[in-house]
Amino acid sequence: KCFGFILVGVGFLVFVKLNNGIVVGDRSAHEAVIHLPQILYFLIFCGGLMFPYVLQHIKNFPSFAARNFLFIAISGILLAAIVHYNTMGHPYLLADNRHFTFYIWRKFFLRHWSLKFVLVPAYITAAFCITNTLQKSQLMFRILFPVCLILSLAPQALLEFRYFIIPFILCRLQVKPA
């Protein structure tokens, strides 16, 4: 019953062994790094594309924040530290003006050093709303999705929306009608 999955997994392992790694192309530009703000960018991306569903939960955020002020404050400080110490601009992001992310980075993030912190409240709000939107999904998904999201997005230095598409689709497929 699982033979196809096992075959694909073995094929992938053979590819990695023969290729001396997972990267196809310029290895120096695709080195794994710890880039935690990718998760935060995904929250904004996902929240924006699921806005009609997220909108239902925004009205509950102020009361949640009032009841859990300490949690929100600690989360804000932690996210501000992550943004401060871990935000990185990949050389391709800064050089290639054919991509939308180039303009977001240049016109917003590079305009002033403090602008990257402006989005911290939006990251917290998006996390709250997306978590509540996915509340009706299966427990296994709610446990494994964040783990898989971190494992797939955090090692990427390059901010590229195409990295968010599959996690977004998986997230969107879990949204149950109200």
Side-chain angles (χ1 to χ4, degrees):
K1 194 173 185 180
C2 295
F3 178 72
F5 294 116
I6 293 169
L7 187 63
V8 169
V10 169
F12 174 72
L13 293 175
V14 168
F15 165 77
V16 170
K17 178 68 176 159
L18 293 175
N19 192 45
N20 293 324
I22 195 170
V23 173
V24 177
D26 183 8
R27 293 182 193 279
S28 65
H30 295 90
E31 294 176 355
V33 296
I34 297 174
H35 190 203
L36 296 177
Q38 287 278 42
I39 310 305
L40 306 176
Y41 306 147
F42 173 77
L43 290 172
I44 297 295
F45 178 87
C46 190
L49 291 178
M50 291 186 2
F51 189 71
Y53 299 102
V54 166
L55 189 60
Q56 300 168 5
H57 301 286
I58 287 179
K59 65 182 179 305
N60 300 330
F61 183 72
S63 62
F64 172 80
R67 286 190 321 272
N68 301 289
F69 178 77
L70 185 61
F71 174 75
I72 296 295
I74 291 171
S75 297
I77 292 167
L78 180 66
L79 292 180
I82 287 171
V83 165
H84 178 69
Y85 292 109
N86 202 235
T87 298
M88 56 184 74
H90 191 278
Y92 288 176
L93 175 67
L94 303 172
D96 193 354
N97 66 355
R98 295 174 297 165
H99 297 279
F100 188 60
T101 52
F102 168 84
Y103 294 100
I104 292 173
W105 199 263
R106 199 179 95 212
K107 298 285 187 183
F108 185 78
F109 287 104
L110 292 181
R111 185 163 295 245
H112 192 268
W113 66 268
S114 64
L115 285 178
K116 61 186 177 184
F117 300 105
V118 169
L119 292 176
V120 169
Y123 299 145
I124 295 171
T125 306
F128 170 81
C129 293
I130 291 168
T131 301
N132 283 311
T133 301
L134 297 174
Q135 211 54 7
K136 293 180 182 176
S137 63
Q138 293 180 353
L139 178 63
M140 191 60 71
F141 179 82
R142 292 194 319 253
I143 293 170
L144 290 179
F145 181 72
V147 173
C148 294
L149 184 71
I150 291 167
L151 290 175
S152 66
L153 292 182
Q156 306 288 337
L158 180 61
L159 170 60
E160 192 61 65
F161 291 144
R162 64 182 169 189
Y163 300 150
F164 301 159
I165 293 172
I166 291 175
F168 167 73
I169 290 172
L170 292 173
C171 193
R172 178 60 185 88
L173 287 172
Q174 292 294 316
V175 175
K176 307 286 192 256

